[in-house]
Amino acid sequence: MKKQKKALQICFLILSAASLLLFWLVPFLGQKDVSETENRTLARLPALSAGSFLSGAFQDDLEKAAGDQLLFSEEVRSFVKGAQASVLTGGQNLLCRLNPSLRSGYTQITEGYFAYQGDEHRIVEKLQDYEAGASEAAAFAASFNSLEGVKRYLYFINNSRVTDFDRPEDSNRIYDWIRSFFSLDGAACFASDGYEDYCRWFYQTDHHWNDQGFYRGYTEILNLLKPDETPVGPGDRLETDAIFNGSYARITKSLRADEHFVVRSFDLPKYTVTLNGKRGTYGKLKAYLSGRFPSEPLTNHYANCYGGDYGEIVYDFGTEGRGRLLLIASSYSNPINALIASHFDETRVIDLRYYESYAGQAFDLSAYVKAHDIDTVLLLGDIRLFLPGGDAEGGGA
């Protein structure tokens, strides 16, 4: 017993020393800005100063960076996400095996991910029975419905997670089910008319909408919130040299996309952005427009270009009289945050997956609305915003 205990102590010391060595090698090997697996901005090693050390800010930032910048941490996250996806899709694949009609147009690429109708360049997810999460959806809606003195809206995104392309006539079933839990001033759904129409709006190997999709989404959201206002023009559209293999390609390791990553620029008034409490720049759109972007095959161009996921983002356009918006969203909002915010004095974007880590406490919707004098609240995302327990990568959503 003593020998076993001593052996365990030695193993623990070796692992601790190895972890410390890997962490302190980070400054020499370079730091990552974005997690390809989680579609969020990573914490970087903080600069040491007497003030930050005495206040405790240095220690807090160092703790966050330790988990994000440790060597091989991305590989660990990828493994965990892959395992989670396998568990979440287990029931779905059992249904497919029990009922062959459920997989008539689908060909499995790997666990939970499919090609549809022999499309060799695109990956989709298979529809699951999300109605099993009724209690979770009701709990999510409860605090939202209790809000008073604010306008409440919902914008739901139909993607391959909730669309059975064999039965396009049922495409709005999940949206109608989600909407039934909420008390709203208005709601709308980003829907597709069958598989070919879906391909027009979404990336080939990513769950997010492409540049045409997010611009359409922005105009529909504006029509929902402020129907009398004119949308910002569609802007300049630039097709880059980068082939975009997105989240589905990263999960399945199937580099099958042949589409070039397209960026759009918009003419907006001046504004400031605060990212998790610090002034900064969101995304690297200007770099992409000038032809400067990573060339690795599995680069997450969506997050790199349009911005990753933060617990809180604040847009201030320096105006008065246009209202204050709280946008609770998944990563679908990333490319249109500024577009939506340009119609308000101030817009606060909350990602519930990361808010508690940033703020050190759970998100209290009612308290947050009162503290920041919010008059409009919008929920924006796909099914995994409303059933957060099912989130696998980025988002979201």
Side-chain angles (χ1 to χ4, degrees), residues 372-386:
H372 299 290
D373 197 22
I374 303 295
D375 53 65
T376 304
V377 181
L378 169 66
L379 300 176
L380 189 169
D382 73 341
I383 185 65
R384 290 180 176 172
L385 173 68
F386 302 92

Side-chain angles (χ1 to χ4, degrees), residues 18 133 203 232 250-251:
Y203 291 116
V232 176
R250 293 193 293 274
I251 292 172

